[in-house]
Amino acid sequence: MNILDELRTRFEPALSEWTDDPSSVIEMLKASQDARFGDYQANFAMPLAARLDGIKPRDLAVQIAEKVDLSDFCEPLEIAGPGFINIKLKQDWLEGLTKQLVPDDRLGVSPARKPQKVVVDFSAPNVAKPMHVGHLRSSVIGDANYRVLQYLGHDVVGDNHIGDWGTQFGMIIFGYKHFLDEDAFQKNPVNELARLYRLVNQLSDYHVTQKAVPLRQTEIEELGAKLQTLETTANLTDKKIQKQLKKLKSDIGERKSELTSMQEKLTEFEQDEDLKSKAVAFPDIARQAREETARLHAGDADNLELWKQFLPECLDAIQTVYDRLDIHFDLTLGESFYQPMLADVVADLKQKGLAKESQGAICVFMEGFEAPFIVQKQDGAFTYATTDLATIKYRAEELQADRVLYVVDSRQSDHFQLLFATVKQWGFTNLELQHVSFGTILGKNKRPYKTRSGDTVGLESLLDESIQRAHAIVAENDDAKPDGPELNETERQQIAEAVGLGGIKYADLKHNRDSDYVFDWDKMLANRGDTATYMQYAYARVCGIFRKGNIDRSALRNEQAALCLTEESERALALQINRYSEILESVAIEARPNYLTNYLFELSNLFSTFYSNCHVLKAEEEQVKTSRLLLCDLTARVINHGLSLLGIRTCERM
Ligand code: ARG
């Protein structure tokens, strides 16, 4: 049962006496942060009173409380401070509810009242290009949302909207035609394609840098001249002038250091004879690669043939990562899938008066947006935007979606705002669209984190490294056990996998997804604190209790009548267990798995408090022992299930 939902449903009609829109404040009824203020707390009397004339918030709180009858499951409401309404659940009611959870496989989580068809667009790397940690983050956050929505009874479609039609293909096609190492390609096509991609990238980058150097030099000279003029002519005691000088000097310094690193890059490149000669032979490589892309898009038979040959190899390579992470998709409809539909999309937008020509391109101008949405470029090419429009049409009409989640880097938020605004005008008004944006993973230097080789191979070695580090931790803990180690090597390895991969996923999930976070091995795999490891140990600890007491857990579940919540820490633990349902709902609404990680962390902490306050196996009476074992069992089940919804495995023994 969703207790929070029940409370809100009871309060909402009562509020209509003071506001036309109770739903706008109902979310101010929440679980309370501090048990002294009840189990739940409603804070809406304050903003409501502020909107009304001549009523004190506290008096309003009293009036609201009088209107709502919760006597069937709550203690009389208490009004505190300036107008907080404190809600405490009745002891016997909470006990009864907890008893019902014991035989309930769904752990009190009822399926959604209105199941929706939800498309989760996640992972979506640009294949043939190195998949980077940002795509890892999208994969992990997307997968967790997918699992939660599905558990809540929604019809979920996981769609990997891969970038399989972009300029990177022109680059590898060009590389293939000019620099292919046949043997390497026979042995490992993906590695060879990745090498070709890097090579072409490096060569075009070289030419870009080479052209940029003299420009940068001129810029520095100009700024220097400006500085000199200012220094000789202006009033140097003037604060404004001083500021200007400071700014100029720092600009010059910045440009100079950029110039130095550009020059270093060029020197390093030129030391490689082979690279150097290739650069000389292909001075216009960027344009040539673009032309290969254009030929592919125009349907050139050779390029299309190569594309068809490369694509499965690229897909195999990313599949390895998904398999290791236990991440699955229902569909992989990449950008290429929508190509045949793009011309119609543009025609339709034009016909509806939404898109028009501007400087040779076809654009949608949306009120409130500075930049237009370009759906066809001057050269006739369609864009990322056009593909996304076609994708939405497909998802609405063919997949019959009610809601689409886009789990994509926050740097694309402008794109999605424009996209969603356009789509509403275009006529898909019933479709709920949500950009599930996330921040950047940073290194310790606070710059975007890069795996050592910066590619899919690097991503895999990241997973390997995590498992290796986890192995060391698992072994150390095991060796330190009072009665000596308990695990054999196979078990250690299995646990290390769960801890290593779980650690990476959990670190991605526990942060508010909008913020950037620093990738830190030690924090990620720590035994204590808000980590997967901590929760995995908590789970294993409970399993250990059952082993030690020789308890048959399924037989135990027939004894639910024994359950009673006498101690404060028992009650707090039981309440938290009962909140599982409302937490999953909130994850589903906002697509924020960190609500679940917070919840599980809190649950593990409450369990620790309970376990240190209450004897379980050594409880004085048999009934108390059974009751506490039931609480242990429920805790373990919720931790295990909650982690599974995050894509994280547990182990019975660690
Ligand atoms: N391939 C894109 C990228 O790597 C992400 C695609 C996200 N999905 C979408 N429908 N635009 O940046």
Side-chain angles (χ1 to χ4, degrees):
M1 169 181 185
N2 185 332
I3 305 172
L4 180 64
D5 201 41
E6 179 64 24
L7 287 168
R8 286 179 175 170
T9 311
R10 300 275 192 106
F11 266 95
E12 213 173 301
L15 295 179
S16 56
E17 191 165 314
W18 296 280
T19 169
D20 294 336
D21 185 13
S23 66
S24 66
V25 289
I26 199 67
E27 276 171 26
M28 300 186 76
L29 195 169
K30 293 184 189 153
S32 51
Q33 298 294 330
D34 185 330
R36 280 176 303 163
F37 306 131
D39 301 324
Y40 291 84
Q41 192 174 54
N43 300 347
F44 33 59
M46 277 75 79
L48 283 179
R51 284 186 221 160
L52 299 165
D53 243 359
I55 181 156
K56 291 205 192 91
R58 202 182 154 100
D59 296 339
L60 180 59
V62 173
Q63 289 181 32
I64 295 173
E66 276 166 3
K67 275 212 97 168
V68 186
D69 181 14
L70 302 172
S71 56
D72 50 330
F73 72 114
C74 296
E75 301 289 348
L77 297 174
E78 260 178 37
I79 311 300
F84 299 113
I85 304 173
N86 295 344
I87 305 161
K88 190 162 173 156
L89 304 172
K90 278 186 171 157
Q91 188 71 3
D92 53 352
W93 185 80
L94 183 62
E95 239 170 49
L97 201 65
T98 315
K99 283 179 189 167
Q100 284 170 29
L101 287 186
V102 172
D104 180 4
D105 283 338
R106 288 192 55 89
L107 294 162
V109 183
S110 30
R113 260 171 284 164
K114 275 194 228 142
Q116 286 184 310
K117 178 101 175 204
V118 188
V119 175
V120 185
D121 176 323
F122 69 115
S123 195
N126 298 320
V127 298
K129 228 175 158 161
M131 174 163 166
H132 55 72
V133 287
H135 295 117
L136 185 69
R137 197 159 190 211
S138 171
S139 310
V140 169
I141 296 175
D143 181 54
N145 280 305
Y146 179 101
R147 289 172 191 252
V148 170
L149 286 164
Q150 190 170 58
Y151 188 63
L152 290 176
H154 296 288
D155 182 0
V156 194
V157 180
D159 186 7
N160 193 0
H161 187 78
I162 50 171
D164 59 358
W165 198 241
T167 50
Q168 75 272 28
F169 279 97
M171 292 163 74
I172 54 174
I173 290 173
F174 184 86
Y176 185 89
K177 289 181 180 171
H178 297 90
F179 311 123
L180 180 71
D181 175 342
E182 278 285 355
D183 283 346
F185 189 71
Q186 289 308 328
K187 272 195 210 110
N188 188 333
V190 178
N191 279 0
E192 176 57 8
L193 292 178
R195 185 191 70 86
L196 292 172
Y197 173 80
R198 276 199 296 270
L199 176 62
V200 175
N201 212 6
Q202 214 180 357
L203 291 170
S204 36
D205 210 37
Y206 171 75
H207 292 300
V208 171
T209 313
Q210 225 186 11
K211 288 202 189 86
V213 163
L215 295 177
R216 204 35 55 100
Q217 273 162 338
T218 321
E219 218 180 326
I220 293 169
E221 276 160 28
E222 281 169 5
L223 287 172
K226 230 181 175 174
L227 179 69
Q228 211 178 11
T229 323
L230 209 60
E231 275 175 338
T232 48
T233 60
N235 173 9
L236 297 181
T237 54
D238 184 338
K239 282 256 152 59
K240 244 186 175 165
I241 299 291
Q242 286 173 0
K243 235 184 173 171
Q244 256 177 1
L245 284 172
K246 205 170 150 196
K247 168 100 175 51
L248 266 174
K249 281 181 191 159
S250 98
D251 282 356
I252 294 175
E254 212 171 273
R255 296 216 174 26
K256 276 191 176 157
S257 81
E258 273 170 25
L259 181 65
T260 317
S261 68
M262 280 155 86
Q263 282 164 331
E264 279 168 7
K265 209 160 113 183
L266 293 179
T267 318
E268 196 191 314
F269 182 96
E270 283 161 7
Q271 270 161 5
D272 187 325
E273 284 304 325
D274 181 45
L275 276 179
K276 175 94 214 251
S277 73
K278 286 193 171 91
V280 172
F282 298 98
D284 214 4
I285 189 166
R287 185 183 52 81
Q288 288 175 294
R290 273 201 304 276
E291 281 169 6
E292 295 295 2
T293 310
R295 267 198 284 277
L296 169 70
H297 289 178
D300 175 87
D302 291 342
N303 282 9
L304 212 52
E305 202 42 55
L306 287 176
W307 178 80
K308 280 189 190 144
Q309 190 187 345
F310 298 158
L311 192 61
E313 307 292 349
C314 300
L315 292 179
D316 277 355
I318 56 174
Q319 191 56 42
T320 321
V321 177
Y322 297 137
D323 287 345
R324 291 190 65 179
L325 291 170
D326 190 18
I327 288 177
H328 308 272
F329 301 93
D330 302 295
L331 294 173
T332 299
L333 297 180
E335 292 176 5
S336 66
F337 176 78
Y338 297 97
Q339 295 315 302
M341 310 170 200
L342 302 187
D344 286 346
V345 167
V346 175
D348 194 39
L349 289 169
K350 272 190 184 156
Q351 200 242 324
K352 295 206 165 100
L354 268 166
K356 56 175 189 253
E357 205 189 301
S358 165
Q359 297 171 15
I362 311 291
C363 304
V364 177
F365 291 91
M366 275 287 131
E367 222 183 306
F369 291 90
E370 237 171 73
F373 212 31
I374 303 176
V375 292
Q376 193 168 14
K377 294 194 277 190
Q378 279 128 319
D379 62 3
F382 300 113
T383 65
Y384 185 53
T386 333
T387 312
D388 258 334
L389 287 166
T391 309
I392 289 186
K393 188 171 156 67
Y394 183 84
R395 288 172 178 167
E397 290 173 355
E398 304 300 320
L399 302 180
Q400 296 278 310
D402 301 304
R403 183 180 179 200
V404 186
L405 302 183
Y406 293 85
V407 189
V408 187
D409 196 309
S410 57
R411 281 169 288 198
Q412 293 192 28
S413 74
D414 287 347
H415 165 76
F416 285 108
Q417 279 178 20
L418 254 171
L419 176 69
F420 298 167
T422 306
V423 167
K424 290 277 169 254
Q425 299 264 327
W426 195 20
F428 297 97
T429 41
N430 290 329
L431 195 59
E432 218 181 292
L433 300 165
Q434 195 172 358
H435 178 199
V436 181
S437 74
F438 55 82
T440 310
I441 308 182
L442 304 173
K444 283 221 168 117
N445 57 6
K446 298 282 163 74
R447 308 189 64 111
Y449 185 80
K450 285 211 169 70
T451 53
R452 229 164 285 148
S453 53
D455 57 14
T456 318
V457 181
L459 215 54
E460 281 213 70
S461 50
L462 187 83
L463 305 183
D464 291 335
E465 180 167 354
S466 193
I467 293 168
Q468 236 169 46
R469 284 172 182 263
H471 190 279
I473 294 169
V474 170
E476 191 185 313
N477 284 341
D478 192 34
D479 289 338
K481 283 179 186 153
D483 303 325
E486 292 170 5
L487 306 166
N488 64 35
E489 185 43 40
T490 320
E491 288 167 323
R492 284 185 178 193
Q493 194 54 40
Q494 276 166 357
I495 299 166
E497 287 251 344
V499 171
L501 299 176
I504 290 197
K505 288 187 179 183
Y506 195 87
D508 254 356
L509 294 166
K510 80 165 191 182
H511 294 95
N512 175 347
R513 57 175 165 73
D514 298 300
S515 38
D516 300 344
Y517 79 89
V518 175
F519 192 90
D520 180 336
W521 286 117
D522 296 330
K523 276 195 193 151
M524 200 158 85
L525 295 172
N527 281 337
R528 286 169 190 284
D530 189 9
T531 62
T533 323
Y534 174 64
M535 256 128 337
Q536 287 165 322
Y537 270 108
Y539 175 77
R541 191 154 80 162
V542 189
C543 295
I545 300 172
F546 290 114
R547 267 198 309 276
K548 196 165 159 209
N550 227 335
I551 311 290
D552 174 349
R553 281 172 76 178
S554 49
L556 175 74
R557 288 178 202 158
N558 296 325
E559 311 265 341
Q560 78 246 43
L563 198 134
C564 68
L565 306 170
T566 321
E567 299 292 324
E568 210 33 67
S569 62
E570 292 175 316
R571 186 184 187 280
L573 179 61
L575 175 62
Q576 182 75 355
I577 291 170
N578 276 292
R579 294 190 54 216
Y580 190 45
S581 157
E582 76 192 39
I583 296 299
L584 293 187
E585 285 293 324
S586 69
V587 173
I589 292 169
E590 291 182 49
R592 291 192 185 278
N594 66 312
Y595 293 165
L596 179 54
T597 63
N598 288 346
Y599 166 84
L600 291 172
F601 182 45
E602 180 77 356
L603 175 65
S604 306
N605 285 335
L606 288 168
F607 179 77
S608 274
T609 312
F610 154 79
Y611 196 59
S612 54
N613 289 352
C614 302
H615 291 302
V616 177
L617 291 175
K618 290 193 192 132
E620 311 71 40
E621 289 166 49
E622 201 54 30
Q623 193 233 336
V624 176
K625 175 175 155 183
T626 308
S627 169
R628 290 180 180 165
L629 281 170
L630 283 166
L631 284 177
C632 290
D633 178 55
L634 282 171
T635 306
R637 284 160 64 194
V638 174
I639 293 180
N640 184 47
H641 193 264
L643 287 178
S644 81
L645 292 182
L646 299 172
I648 298 173
R649 279 188 291 131
T650 51
C651 306
E652 303 249 320
R653 211 189 264 276
M654 279 174 76

